[in-house]
């Protein structure tokens, strides 16, 4: 097929630059995922995935090998394909460790890393029928040429070659969550496991993923920016469309049209008392006039996710009760962000936030005893963020934060309708969540462009809301 190459820029003198469009009849090979040749609008030369160059992938593998004990092996399997029915798959998302080390975004492969052999990739073998139904996939050639594997084999060779590698290794590390029976059923793997030689790989890879590179941070900033824009646009639609399902669809649309590949998780859109259910996901209720709506959402951009929550009144005005409780959460959010700096731990931030929230809830008469606090907020103040929403989950919350860490700060209160407190507070859920990068001198709020002050939210809803043109359609579409 013909394709239009990038603008070629030729410097013909120190002061003059001539640009021209170059055409080529060369066939662009499809390897099942974007490449600089097939997607020049998305990727630059030398990138394996958008924004991440091959040198970075090679450097990651080198660092992992350095963490492996002598004569050890790391086995990393791609994520399995999960199906809704016998022939209909769910949207595929690659295992974060496999993507982090190889750059391959497709299922069916197994990567093996060792000091002796470097990166060895076992790749899926497609039949003409597979290609006709599901398209091209990366094979042995792509493993060598694109992902720069030191050795590459078809997946059918795995039992023979990997068994020999396992037999000659002192320890075998693998990702338990995405383990494939292609290797776990091998006799040599089972023998190593019975001898206590099989270990969990995530204890090593999650360490590497904690500190983000400049290229990773660029993608995380972009992911956060898309999430902020998507949530803001959705907030402005909420006055005309006070419905959880419509707002969930709206925020996904807004993120996808801005370049996100998918949502980071199913958005939480809790109106009224539904907001007090922390991981509410039904999103099937109308939002009553005067109620708050809590939206927890995030999107994924080329393997890196954002995680953002705002709570607001679609009607355009906080009640005095809502404002009092919201202000407590807002001040806690802001004070905890101020504490974000190298050397602090998430555990310490959580203790600090708990003290602030307990004091405030006691003063309001919502809490009668501090022992009941966890009934209103059983969550941590935050978590690590990166390729997964709860990134580097093998690393505990007592780890001192370092420059390059990205965490969430998300204080909240979730008061069940049955909780023993003044009736005016019952059934209210509020959370304010931001993504925070730890820097050399403190912090950078990646989601800082998303409004959270009461006056800013009310001004936006009342003066910039997509309400007038939407209201007549909303009243019609939401009937019955």
């Amino acid at each position: 097929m013909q394709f239009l190459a990038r603008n070629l820029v030729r410097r013909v003198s120190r002061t003059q630059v001539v640009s021209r469009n170059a055409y080529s009849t060369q066939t662009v090979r499809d390897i099942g995922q974007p490449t600089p040749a097939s997607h020049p609008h998305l990727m630059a030369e030398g990138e394996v995935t958008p924004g991440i160059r091959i040198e970075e992938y090679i450097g990651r593998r080198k660092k992992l090998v350095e963490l492996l004990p002598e004569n050890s092996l790391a086995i990393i399997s791609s994520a399995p394909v999960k199906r809704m029915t016998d022939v209909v798959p769910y949207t595929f998302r690659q295992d974060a460790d496999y993507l982090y080390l190889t750059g391959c975004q497709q299922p069916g492969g197994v990567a093996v890393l060792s000091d002796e052999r470097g990166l060895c990739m076992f790749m899926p073998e497609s039949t003409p029928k597979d290609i006709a139904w599901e398209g091209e996939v990366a094979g042995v050639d792509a493993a060598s040429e694109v992902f720069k594997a030191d050795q590459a084999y078809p997946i059918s060779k795995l039992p023979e070659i990997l068994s020999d590698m396992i037999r000659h290794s002192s320890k075998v590390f693998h990702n338990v969550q995405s383990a494939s029976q292609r290797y776990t059923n091998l006799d040599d793997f089972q023998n190593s496991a019975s001898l206590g030689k099989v270990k969990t790989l995530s204890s090593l890879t999650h360490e590497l993923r904690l500190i983000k590179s400049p290229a990773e941070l660029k993608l995380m900033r972009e992911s956060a920016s898309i999430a902020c824009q998507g949530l803001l646009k959705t907030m402005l639609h909420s006055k005309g469309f006070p419905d959880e399902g419509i707002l969930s669809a709206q925020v996904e649309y807004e993120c996808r049209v801005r370049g996100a590949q998918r949502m980071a998780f199913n958005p939480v859109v809790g109106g009224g008392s539904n907001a007090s259910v922390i991981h509410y996901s039904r999103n099937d209720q109308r939002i009553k006039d005067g109620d708050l709506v809590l939206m927890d959402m995030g999107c994924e951009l080329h393997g890196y996710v954002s995680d953002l929550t705002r709570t607001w009144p679609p009607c355009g005005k906080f009640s005095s009760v809502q404002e009092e409780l919201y202000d407590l959460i807002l001040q806690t959010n802001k004070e905890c962000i101020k504490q974000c700096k190298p050397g602090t731990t998430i555990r310490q931030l959580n203790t600090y936030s708990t003290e602030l929230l307990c004091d405030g809830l006691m003063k309001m008469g919502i809490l009668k005893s501090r022992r009941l606090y966890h009934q209103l907020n059983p969550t941590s103040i935050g978590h690590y963020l990166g390729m997964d929403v709860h990134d580097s989950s093998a690393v505990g919350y007592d780890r001192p934060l370092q420059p390059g860490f990205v965490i969430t700060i998300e204080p909240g209160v979730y008061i069940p309708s049955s909780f023993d407190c003044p009736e005016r507070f019952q059934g209210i859920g509020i959370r304010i969540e931001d993504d925070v990068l730890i820097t050399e001198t403190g912090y950078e709020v990646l989601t800082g462009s998303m409004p959270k002050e009461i006056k800013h939210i009310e001004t936006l809803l009342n003066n910039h809301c997509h309400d007038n043109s939407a209201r007549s359609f909303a009243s019609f579409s939401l009937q019955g």
Side-chain angles (χ1 to χ4, degrees):
M1 84 181 173
Q2 289 189 334
F3 71 98
L4 180 62
R6 292 173 151 198
N7 283 341
L8 298 179
V9 180
R10 243 178 223 183
R11 185 169 299 279
V12 295
S13 71
R14 287 190 175 184
T15 58
Q16 183 181 16
V17 174
V18 176
S19 297
R20 65 183 178 88
N21 290 325
Y23 294 85
S24 172
T25 57
Q26 177 184 356
T27 298
V28 176
R29 185 158 59 97
D30 183 1
I31 68 162
Q33 69 183 61
T35 64
S38 66
H39 291 68
H41 61 286
L42 194 64
M43 300 174 63
E45 286 297 328
E47 291 180 351
V48 178
T49 56
I52 309 292
R53 297 182 59 81
I54 183 60
E55 292 84 1
E56 184 154 337
Y57 282 103
I58 293 172
R60 293 170 178 178
R61 300 195 287 257
K62 181 179 178 182
K63 288 178 182 177
L64 179 56
V65 167
E66 290 171 354
L67 292 177
L68 290 172
E70 187 177 355
N71 195 34
S72 292
L73 205 63
I75 304 174
I76 313 99
S77 178
S78 60
V81 173
K82 299 179 181 178
R83 298 190 179 273
M84 300 185 201
T85 68
D86 55 348
V87 296
V88 181
Y90 285 103
T91 301
F92 179 76
R93 183 181 189 267
Q94 187 58 279
D95 173 77
D97 282 343
Y98 188 85
L99 180 60
Y100 182 79
L101 293 167
T102 67
C104 181
Q105 300 171 320
Q106 303 163 64
V110 175
V112 183
L113 196 62
S114 68
D115 185 34
E116 180 182 357
R117 296 200 184 205
L119 175 65
C120 178
M121 294 183 73
F122 296 91
M123 304 300 286
E125 302 164 89
S126 295
T127 66
K129 181 181 178 182
D130 294 332
I131 295 171
W133 281 88
E134 299 178 3
E136 295 283 355
V137 297
V140 171
D141 289 344
S144 299
E145 297 169 13
V146 178
F147 308 123
K148 303 303 180 185
D150 299 289
Q151 301 175 37
Y153 303 96
I155 197 73
S156 59
K157 295 286 187 181
L158 182 143
E160 170 192 349
I161 297 172
L162 184 55
S163 291
D164 182 66
M165 295 171 75
I166 292 173
R167 277 196 302 273
H168 292 88
S169 298
S170 59
K171 287 181 181 162
V172 176
F173 292 79
H174 80 127
N175 191 331
V176 178
Q177 299 298 322
S178 62
S180 168
Q181 291 183 349
R182 288 184 181 276
Y183 70 83
T184 59
N185 285 344
L186 295 176
D187 289 341
D188 288 288
F189 183 89
Q190 302 255 336
N191 291 338
S192 292
S194 67
L195 296 172
K197 294 165 61 176
V198 174
K199 307 295 180 183
T200 301
L201 180 66
S202 58
S203 61
L204 304 179
T205 54
H206 288 197
E207 288 284 343
L208 296 178
R209 284 165 45 190
L210 268 176
I211 298 180
K212 309 301 187 290
S213 71
E216 290 178 298
L217 290 176
K218 185 174 186 294
L219 289 171
M220 293 199 70
R221 288 188 181 96
E222 291 174 359
S223 179
S225 176
I226 290 172
C228 289
Q229 294 174 60
L231 182 51
L232 179 59
K233 292 284 286 186
T234 302
M235 181 185 288
L236 297 180
H237 275 83
S238 64
K239 201 168 188 178
F241 296 90
D243 179 273
E244 294 171 351
I246 290 178
L247 296 183
S248 178
Q250 183 74 37
V251 77
E252 180 167 0
Y253 166 79
E254 298 292 353
C255 290
R256 293 291 296 271
V257 297
R258 287 169 173 77
Q261 285 71 56
R262 60 179 66 86
M263 302 309 288
F265 50 89
N266 187 48
V268 172
V269 189
S273 61
N274 291 334
S276 64
V277 181
I278 297 169
H279 282 172
Y280 176 78
S281 61
R282 286 173 54 183
N283 301 344
D284 61 2
Q285 280 280 7
R286 291 285 305 276
I287 301 165
K288 296 177 184 177
D289 192 45
D291 277 353
L292 298 174
V293 60
L294 182 158
M295 180 175 282
D296 182 0
M297 54 75 66
C299 62
E300 181 174 333
L301 181 71
H302 306 311
Y304 291 84
V305 302
S306 45
D307 189 5
L308 174 64
T309 307
R310 290 293 185 267
T311 309
W312 73 93
C315 68
K317 178 69 177 175
F318 286 88
S319 71
S320 58
V321 171
Q322 293 166 349
E323 185 172 332
E324 182 182 10
L325 196 52
Y326 185 95
D327 189 62
L328 171 63
I329 305 304
L330 176 62
Q331 297 311 316
T332 303
N333 169 276
K334 291 159 72 171
E335 290 302 316
C336 287
I337 288 175
K338 290 178 183 177
Q339 300 299 314
C340 292
K341 58 186 176 182
T344 305
T345 68
I346 291 180
R347 182 97 53 205
Q348 290 170 338
L349 292 170
N350 187 64
T351 299
Y352 182 61
S353 70
T354 299
E355 291 174 355
L356 294 175
L357 291 174
C358 272
D359 288 344
L361 294 171
M362 294 282 285
K363 289 177 182 177
M364 291 181 201
I366 297 173
L367 267 185
K368 297 176 181 177
S369 169
R370 289 177 178 267
R371 290 178 300 173
L372 299 176
Y373 169 76
H374 289 287
Q375 292 184 27
L376 302 183
N377 186 357
T379 71
S380 169
I381 185 60
H383 51 79
Y384 305 115
L385 189 69
M387 299 185 78
D388 289 326
V389 177
H390 284 245
D391 204 51
S392 296
S393 57
V395 179
Y397 289 166
D398 293 311
R399 177 65 57 84
L401 301 177
Q402 298 179 48
F405 283 31
V406 180
I407 64 172
T408 64
I409 293 294
E410 48 183 303
V413 62
Y414 316 95
I415 308 174
S417 298
S418 59
F419 190 75
D420 183 16
C421 70
E423 185 178 355
R424 64 184 183 276
F425 293 113
Q426 291 175 341
I428 296 179
I430 297 173
R431 176 162 66 249
I432 304 172
E433 177 182 19
D434 284 299
D435 301 344
V436 181
L437 164 66
I438 306 302
T439 67
E440 294 285 350
T441 57
Y443 63 87
E444 174 189 340
V445 183
L446 303 184
T447 49
S449 64
M450 184 64 204
K452 57 187 176 184
E453 299 288 343
I454 289 174
K455 62 180 181 180
H456 294 161
I457 291 173
E458 290 183 341
T459 298
L460 284 166
L461 289 170
N462 292 307
N463 298 321
H464 303 281
C465 184
H466 306 308
D467 181 31
N468 295 332
S469 61
R471 194 172 277 284
S472 60
F473 173 75
S475 62
F476 170 77
S477 63
L478 296 175
Q479 305 236 355

